[in-house]
Amino acid sequence: ENLTRKISKKSGNAYGIIKLLDFYSDIELMLFSKYLDELEKFNIEEPLAIKVKVQRDEQNFDIRVQELMNIED
């Protein structure tokens, strides 16, 4: 849906937050600088496949981007 770029106050590194929407809810994914730079290669208005790793603790889910791919790949 959208991408927000930010700078970490602690490290000074760039990162981004992508907000994804589906029919039921929305999810925010944090992209560290490696994936934020890689995202520049894609048209974010087109469908994009995102491989993530999900970890769950007692209260939250941690969703980390592992790979960005063109949906046709």
Side-chain angles (χ1 to χ4, degrees):
E1 177 68 17
N2 65 17
L3 169 65
T4 303
R5 296 173 187 275
K6 297 186 176 198
I7 302 292
S8 170
K9 292 179 183 177
K10 290 183 181 179
S11 68
N13 294 333
Y15 69 95
I17 306 270
I18 295 180
K19 186 173 185 178
L20 305 174
L21 302 174
D22 67 11
F23 295 112
Y24 303 104
S25 65
D26 61 354
I27 296 173
E28 289 187 348
L29 298 176
M30 180 182 287
L31 294 167
F32 293 105
S33 59
K34 172 185 174 184
Y35 296 108
L36 187 59
D37 293 342
E38 190 175 323
L39 187 63
E40 299 280 331
K41 302 173 188 174
F42 296 95
N43 177 358
I44 63 170
E45 299 300 321
E46 296 292 324
L48 179 66
I50 303 172
K51 180 179 177 182
V52 300
K53 180 177 182 180
V54 179
Q55 294 180 325
R56 183 176 184 199
D57 64 20
E58 295 175 7
Q59 298 177 354
N60 298 309
F61 287 96
D62 182 27
I63 304 172
R64 295 179 186 236
V65 174
Q66 300 291 305
E67 187 176 357
L68 300 171
M69 300 166 279
N70 183 311
I71 197 77
E72 295 172 357
D73 294 341

